[in-house]
Amino acid sequence: MCPPSPGRRNEAEMNAGNGARPLSPWKLDPLPRGGQRPPEPSRHALPLVFTVFIWLATGTTMSSLNKWIFAVHNFRYPVLLSSLHMLTAVVVGNPLAKLRAGRAGHPAPCPGAKGRVFLLSLTFCASVAFGNLGLNYVQLDFAQMVYTTTPFFTLTLSKVLLGKHHHPLQYVAMGPICLGASLSIVGEVHFDQAGCCFLFAATFLRGLKSIQQSTFLQEERLDSLTLLCLTSLPSFYILFAAALVLEVGPAWDGTLAYGGGLWACVLLSCLGSVLYNLASFYVISLTSALTIHVLGNFNVVGNLLLSHFLFGSRLTLLSYAGIALTLSGVFMYHHCDCIASCWRSRGGRGKEE
């Protein structure tokens, strides 16, 4: 494994000094002893907010567009669709990388990182393929509820694999996030066992994938475009080979029978996937693997509305209760410092009285 770049401290190092409590992954570092904060975080604040907005918008749009491709056009090749996403990343990403070659570039990965890049590609391919397979069996709102448990898997993996520490209330927040998702699954009117298994497998792999990505983006300081170019080509080979064996091979004639409307939707989905991946890599590089999945739970509302208007899906009252509980957990995660300080202030007032 390549050593971390100079001047870049990982989360464990930031949390180790003077017995201080762990920092929230989206918070800025505390002021140094000199009393002045380095200018880099403020310089990235506005681009980060804009990128998060783009990431949320493209994620919501892509989920509904993929479901439209599967449900309305009856496209029966989800793994092939995933391979086309990766092929588009190769076609779009490599020319952009060459345009940047004349500038002062970001560091390239060391030779020993090639194996880890391939493992990241395997994880990425498996997560996308399982997710698309799951959408063939269940409604979009059900899939989104399962995906809200991704922060729990990411939190567990970051603790087990990387030894990272988080605010105690962040661990508590996983309770309402996961319980809310479970209530929504119970209240879902179109439950399918096979689809549920596919989606939970995809959720676990998404958390693992984010941990792997954060290693490249934060410790080795690769930029988003470089990481996309490194992973897209092997991902395309893996997914396209799987599609030929599992999907296209047995029914090649059916693939050619689709009309132009479908392929226009596929093209939009492929272009959206490039923008979505670039935005997600950038957000991870400035925050953490856990934060991006907690932020992703805000896609719940958008996806449910689109699923209702486009596909006529319905949710029960129990499902809406689960959504509210999940969003309350997201609020607790993002405002754990404020909640802890309010709790301490109320406790202090009680003692004075």
Side-chain angles (χ1 to χ4, degrees):
M1 180 177 292
C2 300
S5 301
R8 180 75 178 190
R9 299 176 299 170
N10 58 33
E11 188 173 349
E13 292 172 337
M14 290 190 288
N15 295 339
N18 300 325
R21 63 173 178 81
L23 294 174
S24 301
W26 67 93
K27 300 292 185 181
L28 299 178
D29 291 343
L31 289 175
R33 295 181 180 179
Q36 295 182 350
R37 191 186 302 279
E40 183 177 0
S42 59
R43 179 165 57 90
H44 288 308
L46 185 59
L48 176 59
V49 173
F50 178 75
T51 307
V52 168
F53 175 78
I54 295 296
W55 178 72
L56 291 173
T58 53
T60 300
T61 304
M62 275 190 58
S63 296
S64 298
L65 184 58
N66 289 343
K67 185 61 181 180
W68 181 273
I69 291 172
F70 296 138
V72 176
H73 292 281
N74 196 26
F75 190 71
R76 301 184 303 275
Y77 310 101
V79 179
L80 177 62
L81 178 62
S82 302
S83 69
L84 294 178
H85 286 172
M86 293 298 98
L87 178 61
T88 307
V90 174
V91 174
V92 175
N94 287 336
L96 291 177
K98 290 180 180 179
L99 288 177
R100 298 180 50 186
R103 306 178 186 178
H106 293 261
C110 64
K114 292 182 179 180
R116 291 186 293 119
V117 169
F118 182 73
L119 288 177
L120 173 57
S121 299
L122 282 177
T123 307
F124 179 80
C125 293
S127 66
V128 173
F130 276 121
N132 283 339
L133 287 172
L135 285 175
N136 270 339
Y137 293 90
V138 302
Q139 293 287 337
L140 177 60
D141 42 20
F142 178 88
Q144 190 62 44
M145 289 303 99
V146 176
Y147 288 155
T148 57
T149 62
T150 307
F152 169 76
F153 289 102
T154 308
L155 182 71
T156 304
L157 289 171
S158 65
K159 177 66 176 178
V160 173
L161 299 180
L162 303 180
K164 290 188 176 182
H165 302 282
H166 304 277
H167 195 285
L169 283 179
Q170 292 178 343
Y171 292 95
V172 177
M174 296 300 107
I177 289 176
C178 297
L179 179 60
S182 300
L183 288 177
S184 301
I185 292 173
V186 172
E188 171 60 40
V189 294
H190 297 290
F191 177 82
D192 184 270
Q193 183 176 2
C196 185
C197 293
F198 283 134
L199 291 174
F200 270 113
T203 302
F204 173 82
L205 291 170
R206 288 173 69 189
L208 179 61
K209 175 196 67 176
S210 299
I211 296 296
Q212 294 172 294
Q213 290 170 346
S214 66
T215 302
F216 286 105
L217 294 167
Q218 294 181 347
E219 296 184 7
E220 298 184 15
R221 297 186 62 83
L222 292 181
D223 66 296
S224 303
L225 185 58
T226 300
L227 185 59
L228 180 65
C229 293
L230 288 173
T231 57
S232 56
L233 189 59
S235 299
F236 167 71
Y237 288 147
I238 296 170
L239 288 171
F240 189 70
L244 288 178
V245 174
L246 301 175
E247 296 178 345
V248 181
W252 177 257
D253 294 337
T255 310
L256 302 178
Y258 292 102
L262 166 69
W263 295 113
C265 292
V266 169
L267 178 60
L268 289 176
S269 177
C270 292
L271 294 175
S273 70
V274 176
L275 183 59
Y276 177 81
N277 287 325
L278 286 174
S280 64
F281 289 166
Y282 186 75
V283 174
I284 291 175
S285 68
L286 295 182
T287 57
S288 72
L290 177 59
T291 299
I292 193 172
H293 289 303
V294 175
L295 287 172
N297 283 345
F298 286 106
N299 279 338
V300 171
V301 176
N303 281 336
L304 289 179
L305 292 176
L306 287 176
S307 181
H308 173 72
F309 288 113
L310 294 179
F311 310 112
S313 59
R314 296 183 298 107
L315 289 176
T316 64
L317 291 177
L318 189 59
S319 297
Y320 285 111
I323 295 171
L325 191 59
T326 299
L327 294 180
S328 68
V330 174
F331 178 84
M332 181 185 297
Y333 174 87
H334 282 288
H335 299 86
C336 58
D337 290 326
C338 181
I339 294 173
S341 62
C342 290
W343 186 269
R344 286 193 298 267
S345 64
R346 289 184 179 181
R349 292 176 184 174
K351 291 180 181 179
E352 291 177 0
E353 293 177 357

